[in-house]
Amino acid sequence: MAKMMEPLIIGRVIGDVVDIFNPSVGMSVTYNSNKQVYNGHELFPSIVTLKPRVEVHGGDMRSFFTLIMTDPDVPGPSEPYLREHLHWIVVDIPGTTDSTFGREVVSYEMPRPNIGIHRFVFILFKQTQRAAVAPPCSRDRFCTRKFAEENDLGLPVAAVYFNCQRETAARRR
């Protein structure tokens, strides 16, 4: 477990977005059916235009999950005074399948970092009951901790993040 948490601590996901937690389920995030998200790896904006496939591993038919995707580095990582920006929320994800079977309450917004290298974080919470998560009123100045508290989600059960920066024409080739 400590090995799984190390990249989240080094990448300041633990601290900036969520508190320390014990991962209890597996989660894989894949863009374009072949670009899997690994902690701290870079993905270009052109790769992440469409919502990814998110799979939960280790749940059961009685459990439901909430997935949040957020950017804690807005407007830029050196001065993220608008922290966090919400990119996606899917709720009621059955514990034995992927996010396409959940209910999207905030539609996917593709990453568009302008200044510096941004972290895009996927956080998975286990719901206490189905259909109990309310959407936030805004994507801006979103707070994962506050949202989790307001919706009785507790601590996360899984998280992964990737880095992304503005893509120049030369990098697209």
Side-chain angles (χ1 to χ4, degrees):
M1 293 293 177
K3 197 101 170 127
M4 293 171 64
M5 296 301 291
E6 202 171 285
L8 298 173
I9 293 167
I10 291 168
R12 296 181 342 271
V13 170
I14 304 290
D16 288 352
V17 181
V18 295
D19 296 322
I20 193 98
F21 67 95
N22 289 319
S24 57
V25 299
M27 173 177 65
S28 62
V29 179
T30 309
Y31 280 95
N32 302 329
S33 72
N34 65 353
K35 289 285 185 188
Q36 186 159 351
V37 173
Y38 294 103
N39 284 320
H41 287 209
E42 183 175 8
L43 294 177
F44 296 130
S46 58
I47 298 294
V48 297
T49 57
L50 302 175
K51 63 184 166 187
R53 178 181 177 93
V54 179
E55 295 181 21
V56 177
H57 312 281
D60 59 45
M61 290 304 291
R62 295 180 312 269
S63 52
F64 291 92
F65 296 90
T66 293
L67 175 74
I68 296 172
M69 179 187 176
T70 183
D71 174 359
D73 298 319
V74 280
S78 61
E79 218 178 311
Y81 61 88
L82 296 175
R83 176 177 292 158
E84 301 164 50
H85 183 78
L86 178 64
H87 282 266
W88 196 29
I89 296 181
V90 182
V91 301
D92 298 335
I93 301 168
T96 56
T97 188
D98 64 61
S99 60
T100 59
F101 290 94
R103 185 170 51 91
E104 195 174 59
V105 295
V106 175
S107 62
Y108 181 79
E109 180 181 280
M110 69 176 271
R112 288 188 193 107
N114 284 323
I115 304 166
I117 300 169
H118 288 235
R119 296 164 293 164
F120 291 89
V121 184
F122 294 90
I123 308 114
L124 190 70
F125 293 92
K126 186 173 182 180
Q127 295 173 208
T128 53
Q129 57 185 328
R130 192 170 184 190
V133 178
C137 41
S138 173
R139 289 181 187 262
D140 298 321
R141 296 183 191 252
F142 180 78
C143 178
T144 299
R145 286 182 182 92
K146 184 177 176 192
F147 182 81
E149 184 180 314
E150 290 171 351
N151 288 281
D152 195 27
L153 295 172
L155 290 172
V157 295
V160 67
Y161 79 100
F162 67 91
N163 294 321
C164 189
Q165 61 184 309
R166 190 167 179 219
E167 194 169 4
T168 63
R171 290 181 76 194
R172 274 186 228 126
R173 283 187 234 151

PDB file of all heavy atoms in Angstrom, residues 115-141:
ATOM      1  N   ILE A 115      -0.655  27.582 -18.646  1.00  0.00           N
ATOM      2  CA  ILE A 115       0.604  27.981 -18.026  1.00  0.00           C
ATOM      3  C   ILE A 115       1.195  26.794 -17.270  1.00  0.00           C
ATOM      4  O   ILE A 115       0.565  26.266 -16.358  1.00  0.00           O
ATOM      5  CB  ILE A 115       0.380  29.131 -17.025  1.00  0.00           C
ATOM      6  CG1 ILE A 115      -0.308  30.311 -17.701  1.00  0.00           C
ATOM      7  CG2 ILE A 115       1.688  29.558 -16.383  1.00  0.00           C
ATOM      8  CD1 ILE A 115      -0.851  31.330 -16.721  1.00  0.00           C
ATOM      9  N   GLY A 116       2.379  26.371 -17.645  1.00  0.00           N
ATOM     10  CA  GLY A 116       3.087  25.346 -16.894  1.00  0.00           C
ATOM     11  C   GLY A 116       2.513  23.946 -17.026  1.00  0.00           C
ATOM     12  O   GLY A 116       1.623  23.683 -17.837  1.00  0.00           O
ATOM     13  N   ILE A 117       3.042  23.047 -16.203  1.00  0.00           N
ATOM     14  CA  ILE A 117       2.623  21.648 -16.189  1.00  0.00           C
ATOM     15  C   ILE A 117       1.559  21.463 -15.118  1.00  0.00           C
ATOM     16  O   ILE A 117       1.803  21.738 -13.949  1.00  0.00           O
ATOM     17  CB  ILE A 117       3.825  20.721 -15.917  1.00  0.00           C
ATOM     18  CG1 ILE A 117       4.892  20.898 -17.010  1.00  0.00           C
ATOM     19  CG2 ILE A 117       3.379  19.270 -15.833  1.00  0.00           C
ATOM     20  CD1 ILE A 117       6.216  20.227 -16.690  1.00  0.00           C
ATOM     21  N   HIS A 118       0.384  20.996 -15.541  1.00  0.00           N
ATOM     22  CA  HIS A 118      -0.733  20.786 -14.616  1.00  0.00           C
ATOM     23  C   HIS A 118      -0.871  19.305 -14.283  1.00  0.00           C
ATOM     24  O   HIS A 118      -0.594  18.443 -15.111  1.00  0.00           O
ATOM     25  CB  HIS A 118      -2.044  21.257 -15.243  1.00  0.00           C
ATOM     26  CG  HIS A 118      -2.161  22.736 -15.344  1.00  0.00           C
ATOM     27  ND1 HIS A 118      -3.209  23.424 -14.811  1.00  0.00           N
ATOM     28  CD2 HIS A 118      -1.345  23.664 -15.912  1.00  0.00           C
ATOM     29  CE1 HIS A 118      -3.056  24.719 -15.050  1.00  0.00           C
ATOM     30  NE2 HIS A 118      -1.923  24.881 -15.728  1.00  0.00           N
ATOM     31  N   ARG A 119      -1.362  19.032 -13.071  1.00  0.00           N
ATOM     32  CA  ARG A 119      -1.707  17.671 -12.675  1.00  0.00           C
ATOM     33  C   ARG A 119      -3.213  17.496 -12.867  1.00  0.00           C
ATOM     34  O   ARG A 119      -3.990  18.370 -12.482  1.00  0.00           O
ATOM     35  CB  ARG A 119      -1.391  17.426 -11.198  1.00  0.00           C
ATOM     36  CG  ARG A 119       0.082  17.524 -10.863  1.00  0.00           C
ATOM     37  CD  ARG A 119       0.296  17.654  -9.376  1.00  0.00           C
ATOM     38  NE  ARG A 119      -0.231  18.949  -8.951  1.00  0.00           N
ATOM     39  CZ  ARG A 119      -0.490  19.271  -7.686  1.00  0.00           C
ATOM     40  NH1 ARG A 119      -0.282  18.415  -6.718  1.00  0.00           N
ATOM     41  NH2 ARG A 119      -0.949  20.461  -7.378  1.00  0.00           N
ATOM     42  N   PHE A 120      -3.607  16.398 -13.467  1.00  0.00           N
ATOM     43  CA  PHE A 120      -5.023  16.072 -13.610  1.00  0.00           C
ATOM     44  C   PHE A 120      -5.250  14.800 -12.814  1.00  0.00           C
ATOM     45  O   PHE A 120      -4.645  13.766 -13.096  1.00  0.00           O
ATOM     46  CB  PHE A 120      -5.411  15.942 -15.083  1.00  0.00           C
ATOM     47  CG  PHE A 120      -5.375  17.284 -15.769  1.00  0.00           C
ATOM     48  CD1 PHE A 120      -4.214  17.753 -16.352  1.00  0.00           C
ATOM     49  CD2 PHE A 120      -6.493  18.102 -15.758  1.00  0.00           C
ATOM     50  CE1 PHE A 120      -4.163  19.011 -16.937  1.00  0.00           C
ATOM     51  CE2 PHE A 120      -6.459  19.367 -16.343  1.00  0.00           C
ATOM     52  CZ  PHE A 120      -5.284  19.817 -16.930  1.00  0.00           C
ATOM     53  N   VAL A 121      -6.090  14.912 -11.804  1.00  0.00           N
ATOM     54  CA  VAL A 121      -6.220  13.879 -10.788  1.00  0.00           C
ATOM     55  C   VAL A 121      -7.578  13.193 -10.885  1.00  0.00           C
ATOM     56  O   VAL A 121      -8.617  13.861 -10.957  1.00  0.00           O
ATOM     57  CB  VAL A 121      -6.057  14.497  -9.374  1.00  0.00           C
ATOM     58  CG1 VAL A 121      -6.082  13.413  -8.315  1.00  0.00           C
ATOM     59  CG2 VAL A 121      -4.790  15.329  -9.281  1.00  0.00           C
ATOM     60  N   PHE A 122      -7.560  11.868 -10.873  1.00  0.00           N
ATOM     61  CA  PHE A 122      -8.776  11.056 -10.802  1.00  0.00           C
ATOM     62  C   PHE A 122      -8.847  10.497  -9.391  1.00  0.00           C
ATOM     63  O   PHE A 122      -7.911   9.825  -8.938  1.00  0.00           O
ATOM     64  CB  PHE A 122      -8.720   9.885 -11.787  1.00  0.00           C
ATOM     65  CG  PHE A 122      -8.728  10.312 -13.225  1.00  0.00           C
ATOM     66  CD1 PHE A 122      -7.541  10.556 -13.893  1.00  0.00           C
ATOM     67  CD2 PHE A 122      -9.926  10.464 -13.906  1.00  0.00           C
ATOM     68  CE1 PHE A 122      -7.537  10.952 -15.218  1.00  0.00           C
ATOM     69  CE2 PHE A 122      -9.936  10.861 -15.239  1.00  0.00           C
ATOM     70  CZ  PHE A 122      -8.742  11.108 -15.894  1.00  0.00           C
ATOM     71  N   ILE A 123      -9.939  10.784  -8.688  1.00  0.00           N
ATOM     72  CA  ILE A 123     -10.121  10.310  -7.319  1.00  0.00           C
ATOM     73  C   ILE A 123     -11.391   9.474  -7.276  1.00  0.00           C
ATOM     74  O   ILE A 123     -12.438   9.897  -7.792  1.00  0.00           O
ATOM     75  CB  ILE A 123     -10.248  11.484  -6.331  1.00  0.00           C
ATOM     76  CG1 ILE A 123      -9.075  12.464  -6.497  1.00  0.00           C
ATOM     77  CG2 ILE A 123     -10.279  10.983  -4.890  1.00  0.00           C
ATOM     78  CD1 ILE A 123      -9.486  13.778  -6.997  1.00  0.00           C
ATOM     79  N   LEU A 124     -11.298   8.311  -6.674  1.00  0.00           N
ATOM     80  CA  LEU A 124     -12.432   7.398  -6.576  1.00  0.00           C
ATOM     81  C   LEU A 124     -12.853   7.271  -5.117  1.00  0.00           C
ATOM     82  O   LEU A 124     -12.018   7.030  -4.240  1.00  0.00           O
ATOM     83  CB  LEU A 124     -12.050   6.025  -7.133  1.00  0.00           C
ATOM     84  CG  LEU A 124     -13.196   5.035  -7.316  1.00  0.00           C
ATOM     85  CD1 LEU A 124     -14.123   5.471  -8.454  1.00  0.00           C
ATOM     86  CD2 LEU A 124     -12.645   3.635  -7.594  1.00  0.00           C
ATOM     87  N   PHE A 125     -14.153   7.460  -4.875  1.00  0.00           N
ATOM     88  CA  PHE A 125     -14.729   7.323  -3.540  1.00  0.00           C
ATOM     89  C   PHE A 125     -15.772   6.216  -3.557  1.00  0.00           C
ATOM     90  O   PHE A 125     -16.493   6.055  -4.548  1.00  0.00           O
ATOM     91  CB  PHE A 125     -15.453   8.615  -3.118  1.00  0.00           C
ATOM     92  CG  PHE A 125     -14.547   9.786  -2.919  1.00  0.00           C
ATOM     93  CD1 PHE A 125     -14.289  10.670  -3.961  1.00  0.00           C
ATOM     94  CD2 PHE A 125     -13.965  10.030  -1.691  1.00  0.00           C
ATOM     95  CE1 PHE A 125     -13.466  11.771  -3.777  1.00  0.00           C
ATOM     96  CE2 PHE A 125     -13.138  11.132  -1.490  1.00  0.00           C
ATOM     97  CZ  PHE A 125     -12.888  11.997  -2.543  1.00  0.00           C
ATOM     98  N   LYS A 126     -15.892   5.502  -2.467  1.00  0.00           N
ATOM     99  CA  LYS A 126     -16.960   4.516  -2.324  1.00  0.00           C
ATOM    100  C   LYS A 126     -18.161   5.234  -1.714  1.00  0.00           C
ATOM    101  O   LYS A 126     -18.036   5.899  -0.685  1.00  0.00           O
ATOM    102  CB  LYS A 126     -16.518   3.351  -1.431  1.00  0.00           C
ATOM    103  CG  LYS A 126     -17.540   2.251  -1.394  1.00  0.00           C
ATOM    104  CD  LYS A 126     -17.005   1.038  -0.654  1.00  0.00           C
ATOM    105  CE  LYS A 126     -18.059  -0.071  -0.689  1.00  0.00           C
ATOM    106  NZ  LYS A 126     -17.568  -1.263   0.012  1.00  0.00           N
ATOM    107  N   GLN A 127     -19.306   5.110  -2.350  1.00  0.00           N
ATOM    108  CA  GLN A 127     -20.522   5.747  -1.855  1.00  0.00           C
ATOM    109  C   GLN A 127     -21.117   4.919  -0.714  1.00  0.00           C
ATOM    110  O   GLN A 127     -21.019   3.697  -0.709  1.00  0.00           O
ATOM    111  CB  GLN A 127     -21.562   5.858  -2.978  1.00  0.00           C
ATOM    112  CG  GLN A 127     -21.141   6.764  -4.097  1.00  0.00           C
ATOM    113  CD  GLN A 127     -22.093   6.731  -5.279  1.00  0.00           C
ATOM    114  OE1 GLN A 127     -21.671   6.971  -6.400  1.00  0.00           O
ATOM    115  NE2 GLN A 127     -23.366   6.427  -5.092  1.00  0.00           N
ATOM    116  N   THR A 128     -21.778   5.625   0.220  1.00  0.00           N
ATOM    117  CA  THR A 128     -22.462   4.917   1.304  1.00  0.00           C
ATOM    118  C   THR A 128     -23.784   4.343   0.820  1.00  0.00           C
ATOM    119  O   THR A 128     -24.276   3.364   1.346  1.00  0.00           O
ATOM    120  CB  THR A 128     -22.721   5.838   2.510  1.00  0.00           C
ATOM    121  OG1 THR A 128     -23.401   7.010   2.055  1.00  0.00           O
ATOM    122  CG2 THR A 128     -21.406   6.228   3.176  1.00  0.00           C
ATOM    123  N   GLN A 129     -24.374   4.989  -0.188  1.00  0.00           N
ATOM    124  CA  GLN A 129     -25.601   4.483  -0.792  1.00  0.00           C
ATOM    125  C   GLN A 129     -25.719   5.006  -2.218  1.00  0.00           C
ATOM    126  O   GLN A 129     -25.065   5.971  -2.583  1.00  0.00           O
ATOM    127  CB  GLN A 129     -26.824   4.881   0.027  1.00  0.00           C
ATOM    128  CG  GLN A 129     -26.969   6.383   0.215  1.00  0.00           C
ATOM    129  CD  GLN A 129     -28.116   6.729   1.126  1.00  0.00           C
ATOM    130  OE1 GLN A 129     -29.107   6.031   1.159  1.00  0.00           O
ATOM    131  NE2 GLN A 129     -27.989   7.820   1.862  1.00  0.00           N
ATOM    132  N   ARG A 130     -26.561   4.379  -2.995  1.00  0.00           N
ATOM    133  CA  ARG A 130     -26.739   4.766  -4.391  1.00  0.00           C
ATOM    134  C   ARG A 130     -27.567   6.051  -4.487  1.00  0.00           C
ATOM    135  O   ARG A 130     -28.418   6.314  -3.657  1.00  0.00           O
ATOM    136  CB  ARG A 130     -27.438   3.633  -5.143  1.00  0.00           C
ATOM    137  CG  ARG A 130     -27.401   3.823  -6.622  1.00  0.00           C
ATOM    138  CD  ARG A 130     -27.868   2.596  -7.339  1.00  0.00           C
ATOM    139  NE  ARG A 130     -27.701   2.830  -8.765  1.00  0.00           N
ATOM    140  CZ  ARG A 130     -28.170   2.063  -9.698  1.00  0.00           C
ATOM    141  NH1 ARG A 130     -28.822   0.969  -9.380  1.00  0.00           N
ATOM    142  NH2 ARG A 130     -27.986   2.350 -10.961  1.00  0.00           N
ATOM    143  N   ALA A 131     -27.316   6.827  -5.523  1.00  0.00           N
ATOM    144  CA  ALA A 131     -28.075   8.060  -5.826  1.00  0.00           C
ATOM    145  C   ALA A 131     -28.043   9.061  -4.678  1.00  0.00           C
ATOM    146  O   ALA A 131     -29.004   9.764  -4.442  1.00  0.00           O
ATOM    147  CB  ALA A 131     -29.515   7.715  -6.208  1.00  0.00           C
ATOM    148  N   ALA A 132     -26.921   9.141  -3.976  1.00  0.00           N
ATOM    149  CA  ALA A 132     -26.840  10.041  -2.832  1.00  0.00           C
ATOM    150  C   ALA A 132     -25.888  11.212  -3.061  1.00  0.00           C
ATOM    151  O   ALA A 132     -25.657  11.995  -2.168  1.00  0.00           O
ATOM    152  CB  ALA A 132     -26.394   9.253  -1.602  1.00  0.00           C
ATOM    153  N   VAL A 133     -25.334  11.344  -4.266  1.00  0.00           N
ATOM    154  CA  VAL A 133     -24.337  12.378  -4.537  1.00  0.00           C
ATOM    155  C   VAL A 133     -24.958  13.489  -5.376  1.00  0.00           C
ATOM    156  O   VAL A 133     -25.513  13.241  -6.438  1.00  0.00           O
ATOM    157  CB  VAL A 133     -23.103  11.780  -5.250  1.00  0.00           C
ATOM    158  CG1 VAL A 133     -22.095  12.854  -5.574  1.00  0.00           C
ATOM    159  CG2 VAL A 133     -22.473  10.698  -4.380  1.00  0.00           C
ATOM    160  N   ALA A 134     -24.853  14.717  -4.869  1.00  0.00           N
ATOM    161  CA  ALA A 134     -25.405  15.885  -5.563  1.00  0.00           C
ATOM    162  C   ALA A 134     -24.301  16.605  -6.325  1.00  0.00           C
ATOM    163  O   ALA A 134     -23.177  16.717  -5.821  1.00  0.00           O
ATOM    164  CB  ALA A 134     -26.028  16.836  -4.550  1.00  0.00           C
ATOM    165  N   PRO A 135     -24.591  17.106  -7.524  1.00  0.00           N
ATOM    166  CA  PRO A 135     -23.564  17.824  -8.293  1.00  0.00           C
ATOM    167  C   PRO A 135     -23.239  19.167  -7.639  1.00  0.00           C
ATOM    168  O   PRO A 135     -24.095  19.772  -6.987  1.00  0.00           O
ATOM    169  CB  PRO A 135     -24.215  18.021  -9.658  1.00  0.00           C
ATOM    170  CG  PRO A 135     -25.675  17.913  -9.423  1.00  0.00           C
ATOM    171  CD  PRO A 135     -25.864  17.030  -8.232  1.00  0.00           C
ATOM    172  N   PRO A 136     -22.011  19.654  -7.815  1.00  0.00           N
ATOM    173  CA  PRO A 136     -21.650  20.969  -7.279  1.00  0.00           C
ATOM    174  C   PRO A 136     -22.270  22.075  -8.114  1.00  0.00           C
ATOM    175  O   PRO A 136     -22.699  21.837  -9.243  1.00  0.00           O
ATOM    176  CB  PRO A 136     -20.129  20.982  -7.384  1.00  0.00           C
ATOM    177  CG  PRO A 136     -19.841  20.096  -8.539  1.00  0.00           C
ATOM    178  CD  PRO A 136     -20.898  19.023  -8.518  1.00  0.00           C
ATOM    179  N   CYS A 137     -22.285  23.291  -7.590  1.00  0.00           N
ATOM    180  CA  CYS A 137     -22.890  24.395  -8.332  1.00  0.00           C
ATOM    181  C   CYS A 137     -21.936  25.010  -9.361  1.00  0.00           C
ATOM    182  O   CYS A 137     -22.369  25.713 -10.254  1.00  0.00           O
ATOM    183  CB  CYS A 137     -23.433  25.458  -7.386  1.00  0.00           C
ATOM    184  SG  CYS A 137     -22.399  25.830  -6.003  1.00  0.00           S
ATOM    185  N   SER A 138     -20.629  24.714  -9.255  1.00  0.00           N
ATOM    186  CA  SER A 138     -19.674  25.305 -10.188  1.00  0.00           C
ATOM    187  C   SER A 138     -18.452  24.392 -10.376  1.00  0.00           C
ATOM    188  O   SER A 138     -18.096  23.645  -9.478  1.00  0.00           O
ATOM    189  CB  SER A 138     -19.207  26.656  -9.650  1.00  0.00           C
ATOM    190  OG  SER A 138     -18.167  27.185 -10.436  1.00  0.00           O
ATOM    191  N   ARG A 139     -17.828  24.501 -11.535  1.00  0.00           N
ATOM    192  CA  ARG A 139     -16.567  23.788 -11.791  1.00  0.00           C
ATOM    193  C   ARG A 139     -15.395  24.542 -11.172  1.00  0.00           C
ATOM    194  O   ARG A 139     -14.366  23.959 -10.857  1.00  0.00           O
ATOM    195  CB  ARG A 139     -16.320  23.667 -13.297  1.00  0.00           C
ATOM    196  CG  ARG A 139     -17.228  22.701 -14.015  1.00  0.00           C
ATOM    197  CD  ARG A 139     -16.840  22.685 -15.498  1.00  0.00           C
ATOM    198  NE  ARG A 139     -17.742  21.920 -16.311  1.00  0.00           N
ATOM    199  CZ  ARG A 139     -17.534  20.659 -16.687  1.00  0.00           C
ATOM    200  NH1 ARG A 139     -16.446  20.025 -16.306  1.00  0.00           N
ATOM    201  NH2 ARG A 139     -18.400  20.035 -17.444  1.00  0.00           N
ATOM    202  N   ASP A 140     -15.524  25.860 -11.071  1.00  0.00           N
ATOM    203  CA  ASP A 140     -14.438  26.703 -10.578  1.00  0.00           C
ATOM    204  C   ASP A 140     -14.346  26.661  -9.059  1.00  0.00           C
ATOM    205  O   ASP A 140     -15.363  26.568  -8.363  1.00  0.00           O
ATOM    206  CB  ASP A 140     -14.640  28.145 -11.036  1.00  0.00           C
ATOM    207  CG  ASP A 140     -14.610  28.268 -12.550  1.00  0.00           C
ATOM    208  OD1 ASP A 140     -13.791  27.572 -13.181  1.00  0.00           O
ATOM    209  OD2 ASP A 140     -15.411  29.044 -13.096  1.00  0.00           O
ATOM    210  N   ARG A 141     -13.103  26.740  -8.573  1.00  0.00           N
ATOM    211  CA  ARG A 141     -12.820  26.734  -7.132  1.00  0.00           C
ATOM    212  C   ARG A 141     -13.474  25.547  -6.428  1.00  0.00           C
ATOM    213  O   ARG A 141     -13.974  25.656  -5.316  1.00  0.00           O
ATOM    214  CB  ARG A 141     -13.226  28.044  -6.489  1.00  0.00           C
ATOM    215  CG  ARG A 141     -12.416  29.204  -7.031  1.00  0.00           C
ATOM    216  CD  ARG A 141     -12.758  30.494  -6.353  1.00  0.00           C
ATOM    217  NE  ARG A 141     -12.165  31.608  -7.044  1.00  0.00           N
ATOM    218  CZ  ARG A 141     -11.142  32.313  -6.571  1.00  0.00           C
ATOM    219  NH1 ARG A 141     -10.611  32.017  -5.424  1.00  0.00           N
ATOM    220  NH2 ARG A 141     -10.673  33.320  -7.266  1.00  0.00           N
TER     221      ARG A 141
END
